[in-house]
Structures are given as C-alpha cells and as structure tokens.
Amino acid sequence: MCRIFGHFDARVTPHELRTVSAAQRHGGPDSQARAVGPGWALGINRLAIMDPVGGRQPYRLGEHITVVFNGEIYNHAELRRRLVARGHRIADDCDGSVLPALYAEYGPAFTDHLDGMYAIAVMDLRQEPTLLLATDDLGMKPLYYQWDAYRRQLHFSSELPALLAFRDVRAAVWEPGLDEYLSTKTPFGEQTMFDGIQVLPPAATVRVNRSGGLRIHRRSVPADPEPSTGPGTSTDPAAAAERVRALLREETQRLLLADVPVAAITSGGLDSSLVSALAAEAADALHSFNIAYTGRWPGDERHFAREVAVRNGTRHHQVEIDPETFPDLLPDVVWHLGQPNADPITLSTYALFAAVRDAGFTVALTGDAADELFGGYDRIRAAVETPAGEDWITGYVDALAAVPAALRGELYTAEYRHYVAARGPASERIAGELAASGSGRMEALTAFEVGRRLPAYHLRRVDHLSMSASVEVRLPFCQPSVQRYARSLPAGLKIAPGRGKDVLYRAADGLLPRSVLDRPKQPFTLPITAMIAPGGALYGFARDVLSPAALRCQGLVEPARVDRLFDEQATRPSDRSALALWSLMIHQLWIEQFCAAPGRKADEAPALPGDGTAA
C-alpha cells in the first residue's frame, strides 16, 4: 500500500515533486522515491506490507518500463509463478514486483489478470513515450488528476492535497459543487469539488501520449452470473446463505496474509462483526478495535462489539475519544479527505485508525460495502417495497441527501438557487438516471449504490482516513467473488419484511451473538443530533465556522436561514437540522483550507495539517 504521483509533459521542478511527496507521506512513511525522465516523472511513498525488505519502487523492467503502484495484489504468488515460467526474473516476493513483467506480457490488458485493489502508473518508453494509469474494478484506490487539454499536460496523485501542491494545479471551486455535495453527501462520479480536477472512475485504463492526448477506457467488468432456480441454488435461502458464508470466509481469511500485523474493525453491527468472526477462525489471537465517545450518548455500540470480541476470542481494544476535542480534529479530517464528505463518521474513522496504528497495526479488515451489495440501507428497502406503479425514486433520492431538497431551496441565496435551477439540480439528474436504467428495481438500485455511491462516498473516505494514519484497509465484501454472487441474488433474498440483508443475517447465524443478530439496524455514525447542542464544543465551533461574515463572503448560502437552523437545533433538536449544520460546517472548513481566502493566492498550495509538516 502506497501513495503515487507524477506528471506527463508538465513543467515540474524537483522541488515540486518533493512537496507533492511530502503532502502524502503519511500514506507511505517507509520510503520515498522518484523516477524522472524527459517530460515525465513517477513518484512513490511506500507503506511496506508485503516483503518489507524487498519491493523497492519504482519497479523497472529494463530501461523502458517503469511502474509505481498503490494497493495490494492478492494473487501475486500465482502471477509470479506464471511469469517466471515464461522466462521473467522477479527479484523479490512483494506483490507489486510482478507488475512490470505482467505489463510486458499483456500490455494494457494486464489488469485483466489482477485480483486486488490498486491504482497503477506505468511509463512505457518502448515506442512513443506513453503513460498508462489504471484503477481497480470498484475504485478502492483513488487517483486524482488534472488534464490540461490546451497544453496537453497531466498531473496526478493519490490524494487531492498532494495534487494541489503542483504549481500548475489550482484550487478553484467547482460552482455546482455545493448542490452536488448537499444532494449526495459528497460529489459522485468523476468530477471533484475543484474545477478542472477529476478522479478516475472504477475499472479505468488511461493512456496519455503526445500524439493521442488523454484517452480513458472503461474496462468491462465480468458479468454477474445468472441465478439458477430450484432447491440448493441461489434462490434457495439456506443454500444462498451457506454460499455467502463460504465465500466470505475464504476471502476474509485470504486477506489476512501480510508481513505486518493485521487487526479487525468491529463496530458492533452485522457486517464488521461477521468479518471479525470469520477472521478470528484463522488468525492467531486476532486484535479487534471499536470506537466510542466519552460520556453517555445515543447509539453507543461498544457493548455489542465487546460481546462479539468475547465470542470470537479476540483481543479487544476499546478506543474512546472526547467530543470536546472534535473542533481540533475536524480541520485535519477535512484536509485528509481533500473535499467535503458530510458523513459525521469521518471524524470517528480518523481517530479510530490513528489508534489502530498507535497500537502497532498496519492492516485492518472492515465490513464496508455489505449494505450496498445486500440491500442493507433503509432507503433501498423502502424503494423495493414501494408498490408497483407508485413513485419510489423521489424518496430514495432525497434519502441520499445531507440536506433534503426543500431545505436546500431555503438555504441557497437567490443567485445560487437560480444557477442550480438553470443547470438542473443534482437530485433531478440522479432521478433521471434511475428512471432510465431499463433494469429491475433492485438491479437499478444495486448498480447505482455499487457503481456510483460506494466509490465516492465510502471507498475514498476509508482510503484517505485510514492512510492518514499509515493503515491499509482490506475489504472482504469488495472481493470479486463476493460482490458478483451478491449481485446475482434476487431481491427476495436480500429484502425481507422489516429488514434488509436477510441472506447475510442467515449467513451469520451461529457465528455472532443473538444480541447482534436480533438488534435493530443502526447506522455507524457520530451522534451529532445530541452533540450539536448549546454549551457543547461542536455547537460553538459550528457557530464560529458558519458566521454570517464567512457565509456572505461565499455568496452561496443565506446567513439568516443558517441562524434559524441553529435556533431550531437549540430548541427542537433533530437529525434534519443537525446534519444540515454539520454539512455546511464541513463545506465551509473545506473552503477555508483549500480555496481562495484573504491573505492567500488562489494558486497557493494549502498548508499541511498540524504544524506545517507532513502528517
């Protein structure tokens, strides 16, 4: 696991390359290196997971193929045997060391042979100098870039703050961004909150050279198998549950392989608890981690996580953070994410992975992606259960939002409201995509959740906040065998009356305490409705950040309406007002950290978090 960066045909100084590297050194503290040639450069910050002594990047094959790589290749041993049999010499046992030879054998189609999570950059000098970039099928490892079509120059990096450290990459606000963000909690798709800066989509292969410019190819992901019918097949609940459990057991235990200590995150909910239980079957004295908050707060799950730990025999770590420290943590959380994410769990995630690293662990398993694949969200269940002929799309789309559509209209200034209406609100575009999908309701919802929301909302968040503490996260639910089987299952095996993920609950039966299996579903998040209250640290901090002067400076949100939100939250606290205030606060913090402000030029790189050195 690493951080990568580089350019093609841009004007980049050695100092810039060092600055970019420093901005994401937290994701690769073990070594830093660069390869530089006429009109190109590739850089690497390494977090050593496999073969810490070997695996030195950039990888090279002769004088003409240079590779840098972020991620994990789980089938590297099989690939190594195959490549050695074809005459290649591979120097060590690091997973990424197979990549140059694999590329030499198969060219851009080398990704067809990879099982893992990755963002890869290849510089091929065999003919016309060509840069190739590739992302994994789910987008687990982000890669951000700016392509200047006029100058035909490319800059790229694993994190947005690092990309902005290039002199020619400007931190300019993308004007539709606020509406996109409040409509979905973070921008979906390839556009970021910065004008002119994109993120590569999942399953993308990019070729850049002087003759052809930049060309993005979306690879076809292997189709989901068609479910069979009859007893003992994927439509039989017991057989499907057994198959899900077998696949998850195999993938979870395969993902335990590492040359550094591996732990598990156990929230106390179904998904992470099941991953922890399956990992504990194979791991010797597995360590598990849960996060909670000092004081008494709604939704505390620590006792569920403790029960899971006792049942599985893990060495459990209860991490506890003080809400009074949240104002000090939030700027760093926003900085590491690079763009706004309105889920309050970002703060807890940041603190949790710092504790995991402090305890001596470099790899952690999580239960992310189960809700998307198995229909776990209430909004999915409500949409599926809406009677035929009735509108299921409007409610589903509004449930995605940080701020409901009606309240967004009240918050925007007249100018911004008119701009959004003329362009078309983000919510209307999503509704149109779902209406035009042409597939069944469950298939359309899963395709949207997995293809659009999961990479942007979950995977980038998990990547950036875990790597802020130099921790690699591995996700068994994202493994191809699990996701393909999950997507083959009919809606009736996922959505049961009153609950989602029915087949997953069946798969977990006998592995988890009844208290976890029988409890109502609860989002893994921060209890901000209770925490944003007069007299609390978060309430005062939000008041300061969302001052009328700051809001007037941006001209997007009406200060008077935000004041009324604070009054509502103080007198009649609700999830609606609390999340709206939280979301606006995060957006304002992002504006202040990254974009033009008094005393800073628009093209000046943002400061690193903390004391001005790399985290």
Side-chain angles (χ1 to χ4, degrees):
M1 185 65 71
C2 306
R3 285 306 190 230
I4 64 174
F5 59 95
H7 77 88
F8 185 84
D9 259 8
R11 300 170 300 166
V12 175
T13 67
H15 171 71
E16 281 179 79
L17 293 174
R18 286 193 294 269
T19 303
V20 173
S21 179
Q24 52 187 13
R25 190 169 185 260
H26 47 266
D30 295 325
S31 64
Q32 295 77 44
R34 295 180 294 279
V36 179
W40 63 272
L42 300 180
I44 177 71
N45 301 81
R46 187 188 183 200
L47 177 63
I49 303 293
M50 304 301 296
D51 191 1
V53 175
R56 295 183 181 275
Q57 296 194 48
Y59 305 118
R60 291 180 173 86
L61 184 64
E63 298 180 357
H64 299 104
I65 295 176
T66 304
V67 180
V68 291
F69 155 65
N70 170 31
E72 289 291 339
I73 306 302
Y74 300 125
N75 64 334
H76 67 95
E78 171 195 336
L79 293 174
R80 183 177 288 101
R81 287 191 294 270
R82 187 196 311 171
L83 291 165
V84 168
R86 295 175 72 92
H88 291 279
R89 180 180 178 277
I90 299 173
D92 54 52
D93 293 326
C94 188
D95 58 321
S97 298
V98 302
L99 292 172
L102 194 69
Y103 175 79
E105 284 289 328
Y106 301 105
F110 80 109
T111 54
D112 295 345
H113 303 267
L114 298 177
D115 172 12
M117 52 181 180
Y118 55 82
I120 302 170
V122 180
M123 194 66 213
D124 186 348
L125 302 176
R126 289 177 296 181
Q127 297 180 26
E128 179 185 11
T130 298
L131 173 67
L132 183 141
L133 307 175
T135 54
D136 64 70
D137 289 352
L138 278 185
M140 287 183 274
K141 296 290 105 181
L143 203 58
Y144 300 94
Y145 70 97
Q146 182 191 70
W147 167 245
D148 186 328
Y150 177 74
R151 296 177 177 175
R152 300 173 79 80
Q153 297 175 347
L154 178 81
H155 302 80
F156 70 91
S157 70
S158 296
E159 297 184 6
L160 281 164
L163 186 64
L164 294 170
F166 283 112
R167 176 184 54 196
D168 288 337
V169 179
R170 292 175 174 263
V173 175
W174 182 52
E175 195 168 0
L178 177 63
D179 183 63
E180 298 276 340
Y181 161 65
L182 295 182
S183 298
T184 54
K185 297 190 177 80
T186 200
F188 291 179
E190 298 172 47
Q191 177 62 50
T192 72
M193 294 284 283
F194 296 100
D195 190 34
I197 296 178
Q198 279 74 42
V199 58
L200 286 182
T205 299
V206 178
R207 290 170 63 92
V208 187
N209 54 32
R210 290 167 188 159
S211 63
L214 180 143
R215 291 157 291 175
I216 300 179
H217 168 65
R218 296 294 301 271
R219 306 188 304 272
S220 59
V221 178
D224 306 325
E226 290 295 326
S228 304
T229 57
T233 67
S234 61
T235 58
D236 175 64
E242 184 57 38
R243 180 63 174 153
V244 167
R245 174 155 44 178
L247 289 171
L248 269 175
R249 175 178 281 121
E250 178 183 356
E251 297 294 2
T252 297
Q253 295 179 1
R254 192 158 70 103
L255 268 55
L256 288 169
L257 295 176
D259 293 328
V260 294
V262 180
I265 304 301
T266 307
S267 71
L270 171 67
D271 311 332
S272 63
S273 297
L274 180 54
V275 167
S276 297
L278 295 172
E281 292 177 351
D284 182 20
L286 180 72
H287 289 246
S288 57
F289 287 79
N290 174 264
I291 193 160
Y293 318 103
T294 56
R296 297 177 63 86
W297 301 101
D300 193 323
E301 296 184 287
R302 72 180 79 196
H303 56 291
F304 294 111
R306 171 63 65 180
E307 288 183 53
V308 172
V310 170
R311 183 181 181 97
N312 296 328
T314 65
R315 298 183 181 180
H316 194 57
H317 301 252
Q318 184 58 64
V319 180
E320 193 172 83
I321 54 175
D322 185 351
E324 293 296 308
T325 67
F326 288 175
D328 296 327
L329 296 177
L330 273 170
D332 281 0
V333 172
V334 172
W335 190 90
H336 281 290
L337 288 170
Q339 58 183 343
N341 184 309
D343 192 337
I345 202 59
T346 54
L347 192 150
S348 309
T349 304
Y350 176 73
L352 176 60
F353 284 117
V356 169
R357 182 67 184 202
D358 287 345
F361 294 88
T362 313
V363 175
L365 304 184
T366 77
D368 291 280
D371 285 310
E372 289 81 1
L373 288 167
F374 291 95
Y377 293 119
D378 288 343
R379 63 177 177 270
I380 297 177
R381 182 166 56 84
V384 169
E385 294 177 346
T386 299
E390 296 185 14
D391 176 18
W392 59 270
I393 294 178
T394 301
Y396 170 81
V397 173
D398 218 28
L400 294 171
V403 178
L407 181 54
R408 292 198 300 273
E410 296 175 14
L411 285 169
Y412 296 158
T413 60
E415 292 80 5
Y416 192 63
R417 189 164 55 248
H418 293 153
Y419 171 81
V420 169
R423 179 181 182 270
S427 55
E428 290 184 5
R429 187 185 67 254
I430 293 170
E433 290 176 12
L434 291 169
S437 66
S439 55
R441 196 177 298 183
M442 189 71 203
E443 291 78 8
L445 288 165
T446 303
F448 181 82
E449 291 277 353
V450 175
R452 297 290 303 283
R453 186 176 184 272
L454 179 65
Y457 184 67
H458 278 292
L459 298 180
R460 291 175 208 159
R461 179 187 76 205
V462 169
D463 174 79
H464 295 326
L465 296 180
S466 61
M467 291 292 276
S468 74
S470 307
V471 174
E472 171 185 291
V473 165
R474 296 181 178 180
L475 307 107
F477 283 101
C478 289
Q479 283 298 100
S481 66
V482 176
Q483 59 163 308
R484 289 173 193 162
Y485 186 72
R487 295 185 72 166
S488 78
L489 295 173
L493 289 183
K494 298 179 181 180
I495 308 294
R499 77 173 182 185
K501 295 188 293 194
D502 186 61
V503 69
L504 200 58
Y505 276 98
R506 291 173 183 267
D509 196 15
L511 295 175
L512 300 179
R514 292 309 316 175
S515 59
V516 172
L517 293 173
D518 296 338
R519 62 179 291 208
K521 178 175 171 55
Q522 173 184 309
F524 177 47
T525 192
L526 196 72
I528 57 168
T529 303
M531 288 182 171
I532 300 180
L538 269 180
Y539 188 90
F541 181 68
R543 272 283 194 190
D544 290 341
V545 171
L546 297 174
S547 69
L551 296 176
R552 278 194 293 270
C553 182
Q554 302 307 321
L556 303 175
V557 175
E558 289 286 0
R561 186 62 185 91
V562 175
D563 280 343
R564 289 203 300 276
L565 267 182
F566 277 109
D567 293 341
E568 291 170 25
Q569 180 62 13
T571 57
R572 302 181 305 281
S574 69
D575 293 347
R576 174 181 177 270
S577 58
L579 185 55
L581 289 170
W582 176 276
S583 304
L584 292 170
M585 175 182 66
I586 295 298
H587 184 264
Q588 186 62 30
L589 285 172
W590 171 77
I591 289 281
E592 292 175 359
Q593 290 216 46
F594 288 101
C595 301
R600 200 182 82 210
K601 298 178 182 177
D603 59 350
E604 183 178 331
L608 301 180
D611 62 2
T613 61

